[in-house]
Each structure stands twice: as C-alpha cells, then as structure tokens.
Amino acid sequence: MRNLFALIAGGLFGAGLFISGMTDTAKVQGWLDVFGNWDPTLAFVMGGAILPMAVAWQLTRNRRPALGGDFPTPPEPKVGRNLVIGSVMFGMGWGLAGLCPGPSLASLSYGGIGHWVFAAAMVAGMLVAVPFKRRLTAMA
Amino acid sequence: MIEQDWIWGFVGGLLIGLGGAVYLLVNGRIMGASGILGGLVDGSGKNSMWERISFIAGVILTPIALYPLYGAVDTHVTSNMAVLIAAGLLVGVGTRIANGCTSGHGVCGISRLSLRGISATVFYIMAGGVTIVLFRHVLGVI
C-alpha cells in the first residue's frame, strides 16, 4: 500500500511538473533572469502547489497518516550553516542548468542526453555530499 | 492579462501540491525530490527503499503517458556538457547539505510556514538569480 500511494504521489508530482512547463529549462532560467525576458510562470506553479499542501498540513492536526506511523515533526526553526551553504550551492546549479531534482527526474524520458548527464552528475553530487556534510558538521 | 503558460503553470502546480498532500496524509512523509532520491543514493533511506523507488517511478512514468498529447516538448537544455556536469554536481551536493530542494523546502516547507523552508528558498533563488546574471549577461556562457 505504501508503495502504491508513493507511486500515485510521484505520478501526480511528475504530471504536475510536466504540465506546468517546469521541465523546460528556459522557463526556470527565465524566472531567475530578472534582467532578461522575465518569465513569471514559476511563481504560478509555486502558488498552485502551496495551496493543496497548506490544506494538507492543516489536516495533519490531531490525526495520523492514513497508513499508520506519525507525521514528520517540524525541525528546530534554526537556519544553520549547512542550510545556507547547501541552498546557495543548489541555487547556483539550478541557475546554471535550469534543472532541479524533481524536473530532472520527470524529464528523463524525453529530455535527451543532456538530462541524463545532469542526473548522473546530480547522483554523483549526492554521494559526494556525504563526506562533505560530515566535514562541515565537524567544523561547526 | 493572464497568459496561457501561467494557467498551465498553476494547474500543474495544483497537481504537484496534490501529490505532496497524498504523500503527507497517506504515507506520512514529506515530498522532497532530493531527499527521496538522495536517501536511495547514499543508502540512508534503505528502510523505505521501495517506497522511494515507487515514488520516483511515478515521477518518471506520468510524463511518458502525457507526452503523446503534447507531441514534441523542447526542454531547451544546454548542450554544454561541462555546464551540465557542474550544475548537476552543485544541485546534488547542495540539496543534500541543505536537506531539501524546491519541492521539500519550497513547496512543503513554505506551505507549513517553516522558517528553514522559507530561508532556503530565499537563498537558492538569490543564488540562482546571481548565477544567471553572471553566467549569461556578464560571461555569456549560458
């Protein structure tokens, strides 16, 4: 059951990314490029996605997940060094290619070789992140 | 005037949020693409391996089903392999260090008014904007 609903959730996510145009790197870069031909589409996507999610968070109150277990507890509201360094690195890569993890996966079937190269590098980066994060934490 | 792209963006966004709502309310998990994939890649999510694989399968499969309705979809991805590799590495490392990306910090974090999610989103959007300005308008690489 968990796997079935994960498949459904992933399917909705992938369909949304596809329909919204967020696998089009020009649209993402167009949104980031405030000095170029600015494209506001991404803001509509974000707004559209946040609405059902905000309702979902309200529904988690005094309830449990339908398939058991507990809802994720909110992390300590602390903006640490890892969050800042990681987000800046992510943003740089996002700007360079116009791809982030979700759309990168959603576009694998039709984006062509470039999308596979990006995804492979992203997976490699996720492996590199393990020792990198350990070092950052040790330095703190 | 609302352009058609914006409407499709909003509709697609609703589907993305619906996916996140299902993953949260049914499976009790936060829909973050980098976390779901990253946990598979580094083995930290071994206990929920099949749940992660199922989610990723869904993400990849529905665009295949929708694709015929659209015909050709141009993703305008750069053909500069060095840029793609550098970008992929940065996205992979960065999202794992920050514990989230556009879906986890952005969609799921902002919608619960999480300080971390909102802060991360401000940082990655600013970094992305500066990167575009630098590499497109100053250096002319992308």
Side-chain angles (χ1 to χ4, degrees):
Chain A
M1 277 306 261
R2 299 195 74 84
N3 298 340
L4 175 67
F5 279 95
L7 182 76
I8 292 171
L12 287 166
F13 184 49
L17 289 170
F18 182 80
I19 288 172
S20 65
M22 286 300 101
T23 63
D24 182 350
T25 61
K27 283 209 145 328
V28 174
Q29 290 181 323
W31 191 75
L32 290 169
D33 189 4
V34 284
F35 295 114
N37 191 6
W38 192 62
D39 184 339
T41 308
L42 193 143
F44 284 88
V45 182
M46 263 290 174
I50 285 170
L51 286 176
M53 253 340 268
V55 174
W57 282 119
Q58 290 301 315
L59 292 174
T60 61
R61 290 193 181 171
N62 305 318
R63 282 199 182 84
R64 281 172 174 271
L67 293 176
D70 293 293
F71 284 116
T73 47
E76 224 183 300
K78 193 170 140 258
V79 179
R81 194 168 53 174
N82 284 10
L83 189 85
V84 178
I85 294 175
S87 296
V88 167
M89 288 179 78
F90 163 45
M92 288 166 64
W94 191 40
L96 273 178
L99 284 168
C100 52
S104 161
L105 294 171
S107 59
L108 279 179
S109 64
Y110 59 88
I113 182 76
H115 286 251
W116 284 89
V117 171
F118 178 89
M122 178 173 76
V123 165
M126 286 176 165
L127 284 171
V128 174
V130 178
F132 192 73
K133 194 172 187 176
R134 206 177 296 137
R135 189 157 296 181
L136 270 180
T137 312
M139 268 163 45
Chain B
M1 190 193 78
I2 301 270
E3 286 186 36
Q4 205 170 2
D5 279 5
W6 305 356
I7 297 171
W8 283 116
F10 186 75
V11 172
L14 287 174
L15 287 175
I16 293 169
L18 209 58
V22 168
Y23 208 49
L24 180 67
L25 295 173
V26 180
N27 291 41
R29 296 194 189 277
I30 289 176
M31 187 190 75
S34 59
I36 293 169
L37 177 65
L40 274 182
V41 170
D42 65 22
S44 61
K46 226 186 303 178
N47 295 334
S48 49
M49 187 177 79
W50 286 107
E51 191 175 14
R52 291 164 191 268
I53 291 174
S54 305
F55 180 87
I56 292 170
V59 177
I60 297 175
L61 288 174
T62 41
I64 297 179
L66 291 169
Y67 192 83
L69 303 174
Y70 283 74
V73 178
D74 190 352
T75 61
H76 300 103
V77 74
T78 177
S79 53
N80 187 329
M81 291 297 155
V83 166
L84 282 172
I85 291 170
L89 283 171
L90 282 165
V91 169
V93 176
T95 52
R96 293 303 278 161
I97 303 274
N99 257 328
C101 58
T102 344
S103 44
H105 278 317
V107 175
C108 299
I110 293 176
S111 59
R112 91 193 306 195
L113 299 176
S114 145
L115 175 70
R116 284 172 55 81
I118 294 168
S119 311
T121 304
V122 168
F123 282 112
Y124 64 68
I125 287 176
M126 284 191 347
V130 170
T131 303
I132 278 280
V133 169
L134 186 65
F135 282 84
R136 177 170 286 171
H137 299 297
V138 180
L139 300 171
V141 181
I142 52 173

